[in-house]
Amino acid sequence: MRFAPILATLLAVSAAACSGMERMPPTPNVLRDGSGSAKLSALSEPLRTPDMGILYVTDRSEIGRSERGPEYGYGRATALAFGTATVSLKPSPSWEELVRVSGQGDDHPAYALDMTMVEEAGEVVLTPQSLEVVNGQLQRNAESQAQLERAKAEFLALVKSRLDHSQSKDVYLYVHGFNNSFYDAVARAAILWHSISRQGVFIAYTWPAGYGGPFGYFYDRESGEFTIFHLREMIKVLVELPELERLHIIAHSRGTDVATTALRELNIGYRAQGVDPHKKLKLETLMLAAPDLDLEVFSQRFWLENLGAVARRTVVYFSSEDDAIGISSWLFGSKTRIGALSQIKFSPAQVELLEQMPQIQLVECQVSGFASSHAYVFGNPAAMSDVVAVLRDRRDAGAESGRPLKSLGNGTWLLDNDYFADVGRPGNGSNGARDGETAAKP
């Protein structure tokens, strides 16, 4: 049978496509007029260091200790751990040098990323021994509940300590895709945080992926199902923080199914309680990059279950050139995955819904010049420009809002390599708006 070697080859290609980046990508076009430098210069003193402290939450099992701290593998843990991972740049620049090069283009050094320290701050243990039966119902025993409350307080204090040093009271939560290591997730989060000029607080939620091998996708897929409960509960705790004004969730590849499933469960639970999910979650942005998510599942969640109303804006980036998404569609027999939407035509009913829901913004990326076909959103300076405009500046689609995407007329938008290439930041050309004039209201 030739099926096995073909499958192994295809999955190997897909695995390579999902691996994390180890170098800073080119400066986003939108920052090349110097505005990236200006934002970094305005940061508070504790943040003026080339090193980046990224908060992390993980249900990966610890596989040992090294000089930098705990090491997390792809195994599934019975505890949800949290802490801080420090990402350093090599060669190590001075703060002044980093500020300068973060606002220009071609001579940007190719900084390598090195995770130099991991400090675990606490954990929540989740095992059957944590439970007891009272009147026929399972609940946490007193010791477990007390430990949970301590861990929640420690986690929220950690987030608050970062928000206290930020003018922006936004939290950005990154959920990675399959075949990513702990390092991959933290490195990608660091890249994103630096690209949005280190505004707010960035958290890498990293689940037990990265099994590897020809059948690694299937292990990672089930690990994604395993982690949904943990992600859902973590989000519920996070949004209790009064100082948090806006939450942004950025999910990539298989992580889009993990994130939207957790949000779906929260959406159903809050609505059943008569609570507005948008207000409860403070969800400003839901960003789905190269989503490995079935179109029909997406339609059920976002339209029939009204998940599309939970975020202030939902931005979906897709590309017909995404090889990994094509392989996933083949494996699971989907008509299409959301990450390859341009391969199909929307029905008239779907177009009508999209046109009446401008908060759902589908962006076709026709870009080139990035590390892999599955990492185009985070490796291309045009695509990353839109990420900056959405996450940092909270802009909606369209030139009148400061995001000069090209409308395709069917509820979708087009982004190519020339996006923001000639106008830089909104306000510096005829296609942009001045910073703050048309940004979305909180």
Side-chain angles (χ1 to χ4, degrees):
M1 298 242 344
R2 298 181 59 191
F3 175 78
I6 291 174
L7 178 60
T9 301
L10 290 174
L11 287 175
V13 171
S14 184
C18 287
S19 61
M21 294 181 291
E22 297 182 353
R23 291 184 177 273
M24 291 292 290
T27 302
N29 295 339
V30 73
L31 303 180
R32 295 185 181 192
D33 63 341
S35 59
S37 298
K39 287 280 189 179
L40 290 174
S41 296
L43 292 176
S44 62
E45 187 63 33
L47 296 175
R48 295 182 186 181
T49 171
D51 289 346
M52 291 174 278
I54 301 298
L55 302 188
Y56 72 86
V57 178
T58 187
D59 51 4
R60 293 173 180 267
S61 60
E62 184 179 320
I63 57 175
R65 294 263 167 169
S66 68
E67 292 182 354
R68 67 184 181 186
E71 301 286 340
Y72 301 102
Y74 58 75
R76 302 167 192 167
T78 57
L80 192 64
F82 58 91
T84 304
T86 301
V87 177
S88 301
L89 302 177
K90 296 193 174 192
S92 181
S94 67
W95 174 246
E96 292 73 21
E97 174 66 10
L98 182 61
V99 168
R100 184 184 68 81
V101 301
S102 297
Q104 57 191 42
D106 295 338
D107 64 344
H108 191 298
Y111 292 118
L113 299 176
D114 184 22
M115 190 164 61
T116 53
M117 185 178 295
V118 179
E119 300 173 276
E120 186 175 301
E123 66 176 12
V124 179
V125 179
L126 305 165
T127 66
Q129 288 73 31
S130 305
L131 304 174
E132 62 182 3
V133 179
V134 177
N135 297 325
Q137 299 294 320
L138 281 170
Q139 64 180 39
R140 287 184 175 275
N141 58 44
E143 181 181 354
S144 173
Q145 185 62 34
Q147 190 270 343
L148 174 63
E149 295 303 322
R150 287 195 300 270
K152 285 170 59 176
E154 291 168 352
F155 173 64
L156 292 178
L158 183 62
V159 178
K160 181 181 180 301
S161 68
R162 299 303 184 91
L163 283 174
D164 287 344
H165 293 302
S166 175
Q167 293 180 350
S168 166
K169 305 307 177 184
D170 295 54
V171 170
Y172 302 87
L173 179 63
Y174 175 64
V175 184
H176 62 77
F178 108 97
N179 198 44
N180 275 212
S181 67
F182 178 82
Y183 164 78
D184 292 333
V186 171
R188 177 68 56 75
I191 288 169
L192 285 164
W193 191 46
H194 185 74
S195 296
I196 64 170
S197 307
R198 306 194 182 191
Q199 304 297 299
V201 177
F202 232 98
I203 301 174
Y205 182 88
T206 172
W207 48 281
Y211 183 85
F215 296 100
Y217 183 91
F218 301 105
Y219 174 88
D220 286 3
R221 182 181 174 89
E222 290 203 338
S223 287
E225 296 175 358
F226 163 81
T227 202
I228 288 166
F229 167 76
H230 297 153
L231 176 59
R232 183 192 72 204
E233 295 303 301
M234 188 275 287
I235 292 173
K236 285 170 64 175
V237 171
L238 179 62
V239 297
E240 291 177 5
L241 188 63
E243 290 79 5
L244 189 160
E245 295 180 0
R246 288 172 294 270
L247 174 64
H248 308 258
I249 298 177
I250 307 99
H252 179 229
S253 184
R254 192 69 210 151
T256 59
D257 190 26
V258 172
T260 56
T261 303
L263 287 174
R264 172 184 182 267
E265 294 181 3
L266 289 169
N267 180 43
I268 292 172
Y270 286 137
R271 291 187 188 280
Q273 299 169 24
V275 175
D276 183 342
H278 172 66
K279 291 183 179 179
K280 185 69 175 180
L281 293 170
K282 310 175 189 179
L283 190 56
E284 177 75 9
T285 307
L286 174 60
M287 180 175 287
L288 307 179
D292 184 3
L293 185 61
D294 182 86
L295 175 60
E296 292 167 331
V297 173
F298 177 89
S299 297
Q300 285 180 341
R301 293 178 181 176
F302 280 81
W303 290 330
L304 299 180
E305 295 181 337
N306 205 20
L307 189 57
V310 174
R312 166 67 181 78
R313 72 181 59 77
T314 297
V315 183
V316 182
Y317 296 108
F318 60 92
S319 169
S320 61
E321 302 301 317
D322 191 332
D323 294 334
I325 294 299
I327 292 171
S328 181
S329 296
W330 175 80
L331 282 174
F332 296 103
S334 299
K335 291 182 179 178
T336 192
R337 314 298 273 183
I338 293 294
L341 272 178
S342 54
Q343 295 178 3
I344 68 166
K345 293 182 178 179
F346 290 110
S347 69
Q350 289 173 321
V351 171
E352 183 178 356
L353 285 174
L354 285 170
E355 290 177 341
Q356 294 180 61
M357 299 183 71
Q359 70 268 34
I360 299 179
Q361 301 157 16
L362 306 179
V363 182
E364 180 171 359
C365 296
Q366 294 183 1
V367 294
S368 59
F370 38 82
S372 78
S373 67
H374 198 46
Y376 59 90
V377 176
F378 307 118
N380 178 273
M384 276 295 287
S385 291
D386 201 55
V387 171
V388 172
V390 171
L391 295 181
R392 191 188 69 182
D393 302 329
R394 310 201 312 275
R395 299 184 181 278
D396 289 320
E400 68 281 1
S401 299
R403 280 174 64 204
L405 299 164
K406 301 174 184 176
S407 174
L408 296 177
N410 61 349
T412 62
W413 303 83
L414 176 66
L415 184 157
D416 59 25
N417 283 328
D418 293 330
Y419 186 61
F420 275 121
D422 56 346
V423 300
R425 183 169 171 74
N428 294 331
S430 59
N431 292 327
R434 294 184 182 275
D435 186 25
E437 284 187 349
T438 57
K441 296 180 181 180

